[in-house]
Amino acid sequence: MSKLQLFLQFEGHRRIELIQLDHDSLALELVNAAIRLGLANDSKDVCAFYGDDDCELKLDEPLSKQGVRDRHRVHVHRCRKIKVTLHFNEIVEHMEFPPSATIDRVKKKFVHAIQMKPVDASEHVLQLCGCSDRPEGDTQIGSLASHCSVCLDLVPIKRIEG
């Protein structure tokens, strides 16, 4: 029987765990793996996503029939949507994303919404509100969220010019 190696993340945890499941495992096994790793408390009201996809995995169906392949990123979370508050100068936008959405995806949608030119957007990054923590672009927002929400500021990249 073939195996899938998957990169697992969970609500509020940035660490990524490499798990191995049978190719025909039900998506519920993702939740069980998260519980075994201490990333989740129980399977009640927990959902799973993969990649940067909006579609929630059906826990009672095999992963392989839902498009999950070897080395995919999966995310287990209690929230089906993360409410993201985004700030840039005086502009405030509220958007919703699945927990598996990446920082890059959130930034792209935000800069489009505020009609920022691509050259200007390339000189800005998202950082968590109230601190200097700038998550990498491939960070899933569910790993940053608490209580199904996260706040981000769009700030200039600091450059040393000489």
Side-chain angles (χ1 to χ4, degrees):
M1 180 175 295
S2 62
K3 299 280 186 181
L4 294 174
Q5 285 191 334
L6 302 171
F7 299 100
L8 172 67
Q9 281 189 281
F10 185 77
E11 172 181 353
H13 294 272
R14 287 200 198 180
R15 81 175 191 253
I16 298 171
E17 295 288 342
L18 182 63
I19 62 169
Q20 190 168 344
L21 298 174
D22 290 332
H23 180 71
D24 60 351
S25 292
L26 299 180
L28 180 61
E29 282 303 310
L30 293 175
V31 176
N32 292 335
I35 291 169
R36 286 190 300 274
L37 291 167
L39 302 176
N41 294 327
D42 60 51
S43 61
K44 185 178 180 181
D45 297 325
V46 173
C47 45
F49 299 84
Y50 82 95
D52 194 6
D53 199 354
D54 285 344
C55 296
E56 183 178 336
L57 293 171
K58 295 174 181 139
L59 298 182
D60 59 348
E61 289 187 18
L63 293 167
S64 59
K65 293 194 176 176
Q66 298 185 71
V68 179
R69 303 286 178 253
D70 192 43
R71 311 292 278 180
H72 271 179
R73 293 179 65 175
V74 292
H75 196 96
V76 176
H77 213 284
R78 289 178 298 146
C79 305
R80 286 174 167 73
K81 292 289 182 186
I82 304 297
K83 293 175 184 157
V84 182
T85 303
L86 296 140
H87 301 99
F88 177 67
N89 295 333
E90 293 86 34
I91 301 170
V92 178
E93 290 280 332
H94 301 280
M95 300 179 174
E96 287 191 347
F97 295 90
S100 57
T102 62
I103 286 289
D104 281 342
R105 177 177 167 192
V106 173
K107 177 186 171 189
K108 183 177 180 179
K109 187 169 181 181
F110 181 51
V111 299
H112 178 73
I114 64 173
Q115 300 177 346
M116 182 180 273
K117 293 179 183 172
V119 68
D120 294 331
S122 70
E123 296 177 354
H124 289 77
V125 294
L126 289 174
Q127 87 181 15
L128 293 171
C129 294
C131 68
S132 60
D133 186 353
R134 297 177 175 188
E136 294 294 323
D138 65 346
T139 301
Q140 294 176 326
I141 61 167
S143 67
L144 306 171
S146 60
H147 299 43
C148 303
S149 65
V150 66
C151 179
L152 298 165
D153 294 322
L154 187 65
V155 298
I157 297 171
K158 299 209 187 307
R159 288 180 290 184
I160 299 172
E161 298 187 25

